[in-house]
Amino acid sequence: MASIISIDRLGKTYASGFSALKQVSLDIERGEIFALLGPNGAGKTTLISIVCGIVTASEGSVTVDGFDIGRDYRATRSRIGLVPQELTTDAFETVWATVSFSRGLFGRAPNPAYIEKVLRELSLWDKRNSRLRTLSGGMKRRVMIAKALSHEPDILFLDEPTAGVDVSLRRDMWNLVREMRASGVTIILTTHYIEEAEDMADRIGVINKGELIVVEQTAELMAKMGRKCLTLYLAEPMSSIPGALEDWKLSLNADGYELEYTFDVNDERTGVPSLLRRMSDLGIAFRDLHTRQSSLEEIFVSLVREGS
Amino acid sequence: MMADNRVNFNAHGVWAIYRFEMARALRTVLQSLVTPVITTSLYFVVFGAAIGSRMTEVDGVSYGAFIVPGLVMLALFTQSIFNASFGIFFPKFTGTIYELLSAPISYLEIVLAYVGAAATKSIVLGVIIMLTASLFVPVTIQHPVSMVAFLLLTAVTFSLFGFIIGIWSKGFEQLQFIPMLVVTPLTFLGGAFYSIDMLPSFWRTVTLFNPVVYLIDGFRWSFYGTSDVGVVVSLVATLGFLLACLVVVAWTFATGFRLKD
Ligand SMILES: Nc1ncnc2c1ncn2[C@@H]1O[C@H](COP(=O)(O)OP(=O)(O)OP(=O)(O)O)[C@@H](O)[C@H]1O
Ligand SMILES: [Mg+2]
């Protein structure tokens, strides 16, 4: 049995009548890092909440390690740790108390040595006796992670772990995630940033408007999606694109000051050198140039278009 | 499929919630315990000393002593409701409820933990009030077993009632509504501070529709052996209310607990 989580035709319609998930089927493999990518409101949190038991599914089924999340909820939930998107903590508890509480809540006997290890790894040890309301946002997020790890879960859900997090915490967090994966923990994270998913994940699932559009090995998805955009900032504005450049798919922006060329990095011939050569032949000067990865939005647009 | 070897009762989880709730009370120990002690003392200064000295005995008991069971019951009602309703409402309000919902803990265990903690707190409070009262008036307990039974039953029943209120409340106003506008008036009108035999017969009949009368009456009988409605009736009424609360809780669970979308 390779998959640790098996989601079958899962659907969720909220009481408002809004359909947040539509027939989502997905298998998470044991030990992988899976990134769920999607714009605001795509249904990422809804999906995670159902697997964790916070939201009730309207249709479909989920099994965790072979156990049904409804019938065998004790078995499934004790295997899962969740770091939710929202920062919600009890203001007056201490770090130590709240993390120990989580361990007990998840049915584990006290183990101060383990809690100490988790707090040290998350650089929270010095703060163990501080009340939560005195902590900064970044530290609170660490506390949420510590709570999720307190009962030694086999599966960790991280719902937008890097929202509002500075560079150093982000690095710490990714190091921790890699360590956890090395120790056999399966990790599912959500993000808006494709670079983040690309860096971390073994596989990526893209979700949009409640539908899982694509699930792919990261390398393959990136290859598919590896489109880049070259912007040339012209010295003199153009009124239209000269006929001599019509072999390239160009667009003219910013009142004729910017020429944009979208190309596929995987193509043997990207067309960039020849374009630049032709422009210099024509005497079209540019002040600067810039390339960027296609944005997540553009990827969604192209995926949705492909899908339909 | 392999059998899951993790246990079927999450004792660590229940204990964690129970301790959390008790710790919350200890942090506000001043508010939780000192306030009721002062309030009780004030009752005795006003009712016991000032008014009580001009009152005759009620059923052979001095007025000051007569009101002790009623005072304890009033505190038990309001504090049980307050503690249990706040305990479950607050995580709902702050969002920390996510953890409870994602934990391998059953609804029954959740109720056990919250109701157990709330009942413990109000029993401790009840005992403190009795001790405070005994400094002012001679408190005797003729039927200690029955007294303890009523104390436990009432604390558990009203904590359960409070839990239900906490689950159903959508805001702080609703949380306060039932304790303030229903329970306290019914208690004052329910013979906490007088024997219903002292009322004109019409009002006596009306009062018999007030469930609180039955709850207080049995408790008072445990102290002084005097009763308006009879201890068995009182016990049956208390158990009936407990049963009603259990039914509502069970029904709330069966229909999705009102905590999940
Ligand atoms: N309790 C609710 N009642 C009604 N609609 C809801 C509820 N919770 C979420 N929704 C709706 O369901 C959709 C999916 O929400 P969800 O939180 O799963 O999105 P998301 O992918 O996590 O978004 P984000 O990236 O902003 O976190 C949204 O349109 C949201 O408005
Ligand atoms: Mg979300």
Side-chain angles (χ1 to χ4, degrees):
Chain A
M1 183 169 58
S3 68
I4 190 163
I5 299 179
S6 187
I7 298 169
D8 187 30
R9 282 163 290 166
L10 196 65
K12 174 65 188 179
T13 304
Y14 281 107
S16 60
F18 182 82
S19 176
L21 279 185
K22 297 158 195 154
Q23 297 276 314
V24 170
S25 293
L26 172 66
D27 281 293
I28 305 289
E29 282 160 28
R30 195 177 294 275
E32 75 173 332
I33 298 181
F34 188 91
L36 205 52
L37 206 58
N40 287 131
K44 303 182 293 295
T45 300
T46 302
L47 181 63
I48 288 179
S49 300
I50 291 174
V51 179
C52 294
I54 298 166
V55 168
T56 319
S58 308
E59 55 191 3
S61 66
V62 180
T63 59
V64 175
D65 224 353
F67 295 102
D68 183 85
I69 55 161
R71 213 176 39 244
D72 309 314
Y73 68 93
R74 282 189 206 271
T76 66
R77 293 184 197 168
S78 58
R79 286 166 168 74
I80 296 176
L82 165 67
V83 182
Q85 184 172 2
E86 305 280 335
L87 278 176
T88 54
T89 51
D90 291 295
F92 301 104
E93 291 284 293
T94 64
V95 171
W96 180 269
T98 198
V99 176
S100 304
F101 168 82
S102 297
R103 185 177 171 89
L105 189 63
F106 278 75
R108 289 298 192 103
N111 183 347
Y114 177 76
I115 304 282
E116 175 173 346
K117 177 171 158 275
V118 169
L119 292 185
R120 284 191 189 280
E121 271 172 10
L122 286 160
S123 315
L124 283 170
W125 183 243
D126 293 340
K127 294 280 178 189
R128 65 188 178 281
N129 294 320
S130 302
R131 302 222 179 273
L132 295 173
R133 77 191 144 94
T134 67
L135 301 183
S136 73
M139 284 180 204
K140 279 187 190 141
R141 194 165 289 276
R142 288 172 208 240
V143 172
M144 306 278 285
I145 298 172
K147 281 166 79 73
L149 295 180
S150 66
H151 63 281
E152 303 164 54
D154 302 330
I155 303 165
L156 181 65
F157 281 95
L158 297 164
D159 198 353
E160 280 179 49
T162 51
V165 156
D166 72 8
V167 181
S168 89
L169 177 52
R170 194 174 294 209
R171 200 180 43 230
D172 288 358
M173 198 133 69
W174 292 148
N175 284 338
L176 185 77
V177 165
R178 289 201 181 92
E179 269 170 39
M180 302 215 42
R181 209 256 312 246
S183 71
V185 175
T186 306
I187 292 148
I188 298 103
L189 56 95
T190 74
T191 176
H192 293 139
Y193 306 112
I194 195 156
E195 297 80 11
E196 215 163 78
E198 188 184 357
D199 278 357
M200 295 300 305
D202 299 307
R203 287 196 307 151
I204 295 177
V206 180
I207 188 168
N208 188 40
K209 296 200 175 119
E211 285 174 275
L212 199 59
I213 310 171
V214 69
V215 178
E216 199 89 64
Q217 297 288 331
T218 305
E220 280 163 37
L221 185 71
M222 295 321 291
K224 258 192 201 169
M225 296 298 122
R227 299 181 77 77
K228 278 200 164 178
C229 182
L230 168 71
T231 310
L232 297 162
Y233 301 92
L234 303 174
E236 300 290 330
M238 270 180 194
S239 54
S240 64
I241 299 167
L245 294 178
E246 69 190 5
D247 288 352
W248 294 267
K249 270 192 287 167
L250 296 174
S251 65
L252 199 56
N253 301 319
D255 293 328
Y257 275 102
E258 288 177 22
L259 206 52
E260 245 182 33
Y261 174 54
T262 307
F263 60 96
D264 195 324
V265 280
N266 306 296
D267 279 356
E268 217 162 288
R269 304 163 62 96
T270 59
V272 173
S274 54
L275 170 67
L276 297 183
R277 225 170 357 226
R278 177 67 61 87
M279 282 177 64
S280 95
D281 289 350
L282 294 170
I284 305 171
F286 53 90
R287 293 179 287 113
D288 198 2
L289 70 135
H290 174 72
T291 63
R292 64 177 170 85
Q293 195 92 41
S294 309
S295 71
L296 193 53
E297 271 59 41
E298 288 161 337
I299 289 176
F300 287 131
V301 170
S302 71
L303 281 171
V304 170
R305 206 178 289 139
E306 267 171 36
S308 59
Chain B
M1 189 183 303
M2 61 183 170
D4 193 39
N5 54 6
R6 297 181 208 204
V7 283
N8 268 324
F9 182 79
N10 185 352
H12 289 297
V14 173
W15 181 234
I17 298 174
Y18 184 87
R19 282 225 336 218
F20 177 90
E21 284 297 296
M22 296 308 282
R24 193 164 61 80
L26 286 178
R27 269 200 305 272
T28 54
V29 70
L30 214 67
Q31 190 192 328
S32 315
L33 296 177
V34 177
T35 317
V37 169
I38 293 173
T39 316
T40 312
S41 306
L42 282 176
Y43 272 113
F44 282 108
V45 172
V46 176
F47 286 109
I51 300 175
S53 61
R54 294 161 191 241
M55 301 262 298
T56 49
E57 294 186 337
V58 184
D59 297 332
V61 181
S62 80
Y63 183 70
F66 178 83
I67 65 171
V68 173
L71 271 183
V72 173
M73 276 290 173
L74 179 62
L76 230 52
F77 295 163
T78 50
Q79 289 300 311
S80 299
I81 292 177
F82 173 76
N83 279 321
S85 63
F86 198 78
I88 189 69
F89 178 79
F90 204 62
K92 227 168 54 159
F93 177 74
T94 59
T96 52
I97 192 94
Y98 85 87
E99 202 179 14
L100 205 58
L101 297 179
S102 64
I105 190 162
S106 70
Y107 292 149
L108 197 71
E109 287 156 359
I110 293 175
V111 175
L112 192 66
Y114 277 103
V115 169
T120 307
K121 283 184 265 185
S122 51
I123 288 169
V124 170
L125 183 74
V127 171
I128 288 178
I129 291 178
M130 279 188 256
L131 293 176
T132 311
S134 68
L135 299 178
F136 293 89
V137 291
V139 178
T140 55
I141 303 171
Q142 290 189 10
H143 307 281
V145 174
S146 140
M147 192 281 281
V148 171
F150 273 109
L151 194 68
L152 282 175
L153 268 178
T154 310
V156 168
T157 305
F158 277 78
S159 296
L160 209 51
F161 187 46
F163 187 85
I164 294 167
I165 294 173
I167 289 266
W168 286 83
S169 288
K170 292 208 177 74
F172 281 100
E173 313 77 47
Q174 290 184 7
L175 206 58
Q176 310 244 331
F177 180 80
I178 293 190
M180 297 258 293
L181 269 74
V182 180
V183 177
T184 307
L186 284 183
T187 309
F188 272 89
L189 300 173
F193 303 113
Y194 53 85
S195 160
I196 58 171
D197 281 338
M198 294 157 81
L199 296 173
S201 73
F202 171 75
W203 288 111
R204 187 176 191 281
T205 313
V206 170
T207 303
L208 289 176
F209 288 98
N210 178 354
V212 175
V213 167
Y214 302 91
L215 304 180
I216 295 178
D217 195 70
F219 193 53
R220 187 180 291 131
W221 174 84
S222 315
F223 282 79
Y224 307 121
T226 63
S227 160
D228 292 334
V229 296
V231 64
V232 176
V233 176
S234 188
L235 188 64
V236 169
T238 310
L239 289 172
F241 190 36
L242 176 62
L243 194 70
C245 289
L246 285 172
V247 168
V248 173
V249 166
W251 175 74
T252 308
F253 293 166
T255 55
F257 209 40
R258 291 190 54 87
L259 290 175
K260 294 189 187 190
D261 287 311

